[in-house]
């Protein structure tokens, strides 16, 4: 009998990628998540759903986003050819809308009236608020008070888009508490609301669902790259926070002879608390309802994490990344703050593209790899644009020093 293709075989029916994944839920939520899974498998595979999502991607999001040969950056590095998949040109300026539109469309088909989620830096909140406005759904975003203070422009965006921002004032008042708070709210309203997770993390079926919604990135890129070069890319590079933009690109190439690199944030260094390189330095553990590789204290609680890119500072990683890495299908590498900032400015200078600080990690690694692999091609997922980061970068890493 024919072997199942990778994307059909993983995750299995219980949501496992090898030993990673699953659904570790409070008893009150088990039924809800089963329902979402069943709806996703039936509705998500219906012709109408697929057709409507394709229509949205083309006419609302502005897809396909281009694949672009970064000629001047390549010449500057003097090595392998660097290509960029331009998710910075997706509506709202990053890849996140790819899965938010999918999740919101599913909510609509389920007859739900409301989207609930947490946000850290506000990027997921803004993308979800956009999707809610598009479909005319209510939207409630839980956000730590510390993050509300730090990420003011995104708070304004969410409000302008009609979302309710709920400040979370307990514990460290950041992402982890925002998740707890959003789960509580969802528990109370699970009949009329859907919880929309922001990456390939969380309990099954979210890691699968979000990967599938993001897979458009890889499907487009494969076709575009082939049309440009007549070949597959030799290497793929993407930054990994939870891992959604990376899985979006990688998923189309798992069974192809491409080297795959997930780039984690090394922050200020290798000491626990100074980075968020979960695959590089973590160990197996359960957080936020799934089993994966996480950064933990000796007592098993999640370790504090840090990165200059707030979209990357998560103490765990999507279970599929843990699986692919443990099977040696992917490489886990890391880039520190300084290297990311230099790559941020290099892309500004040589290509006229201001990247998100998250994406700058992927660019920085691609530049290193290009020096090593002089006669190969490197396809980078440029996950987002850097408008959100310019004030911070200008204040702490002035252009005079780096250009
Ligand atoms: C949120 C974000 C990321 C990190 O999320 P993943 O799920 O790892 O992709 C990366 N890049 C940008 C631009 C983001 O907004």
């Amino acid at each position: 009998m024919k072997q199942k293709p990778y994307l059909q075989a993983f995750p299995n029916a219980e949501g496992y990628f090898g030993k990673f994944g699953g659904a570790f839920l409070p008893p009150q939520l088990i039924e809800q998540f089963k329902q979402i899974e069943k709806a996703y498998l039936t509705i998500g595979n219906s012709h109408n759903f697929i057709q409507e999502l394709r229509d949205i991607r083309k006419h609302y999001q502005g897809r396909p986003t281009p694949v672009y040969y970064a000629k001047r950056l390549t010449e500057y590095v003097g090595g392998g050819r660097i290509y960029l998949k331009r998710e910075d040109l997706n509506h709202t300026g990053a890849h996140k809308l790819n899965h938010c539109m999918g999740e919101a469309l599913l909510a609509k088909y389920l007859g739900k009236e409301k989207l609930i989620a947490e946000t850290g830096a506000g990027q997921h909140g803004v993308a979800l608020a956009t999707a809610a406005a598009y479909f005319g759904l209510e939207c409630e975003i839980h956000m730590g008070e510390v993050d509300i203070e730090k990420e003011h422009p995104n708070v304004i965006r969410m409000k302008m888009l009609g979302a309710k921002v709920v400040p979370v004032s307990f514990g460290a008042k950041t992402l982890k508490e925002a998740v707890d708070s959003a789960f509580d709210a969802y528990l109370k309203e699970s009949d009329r609301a859907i919880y929309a997770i922001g990456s390939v993390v969380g309990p099954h079926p979210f890691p699968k669902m979000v990967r599938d919604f993001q897979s458009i990135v890889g499907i487009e890129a494969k076709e575009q790259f082939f049309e440009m070069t007549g070949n597959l890319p030799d290497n793929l590079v993407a930054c990994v926070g939870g891992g959604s933009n990376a899985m979006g690109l990688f998923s189309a190439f798992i069974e192809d002879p491409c080297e795959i690199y997930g780039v984690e944030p090394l922050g200020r260094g290798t000491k626990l608390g100074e980075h968020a390189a979960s695959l590089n330095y973590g160990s197996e553990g359960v957080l936020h309802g799934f089993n994966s590789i996480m950064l933990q204290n000796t007592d098993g609680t999640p370790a504090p994490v840090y990165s200059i890119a707030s979209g990357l500072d998560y103490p765990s990683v999507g279970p599929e990344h843990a699986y692919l890495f443990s099977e040696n299908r992917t490489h886990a590498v890391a880039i520190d703050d300084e290297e990311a900032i230099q790559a941020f400015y290099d892309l500004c200078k040589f290509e006229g593209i201001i990247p998100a600080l998250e994406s700058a990690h992927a660019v920085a690694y691609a530049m290193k790899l290009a020096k090593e692999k002089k006669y190969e091609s490197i396809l980078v997922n440029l996950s987002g644009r850097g408008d959100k980061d310019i004030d911070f970068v200008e204040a702490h890493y002035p252009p005079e020093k780096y250009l």
Side-chain angles (χ1 to χ4, degrees), residues 2 12 51 77-78 110 114 162 165 173 183 230 234 242 249 253 266 297 330 337 399-400:
K2 187 171 150 275
N12 69 12
Q51 203 64 39
V77 174
L110 278 168
K114 183 170 180 178
V165 180
K173 304 173 194 176
F183 255 98
D234 298 308
L249 180 67
F253 300 92
L266 194 57
N297 300 309
T330 58
D337 284 0
E400 307 82 76

Side-chain angles (χ1 to χ4, degrees), residues 93-96 99 123-124 198-200 239-246 311-312 356 358-359 383-385 388:
H95 70 287
K96 283 198 176 70
H99 62 251
Q123 295 299 104
H124 177 53
S199 187
V200 286
C239 64
V240 177
S244 66
N245 87 84
L312 300 180
E358 291 81 6
S359 323
S383 55
R385 67 175 183 227
K388 66 185 179 61

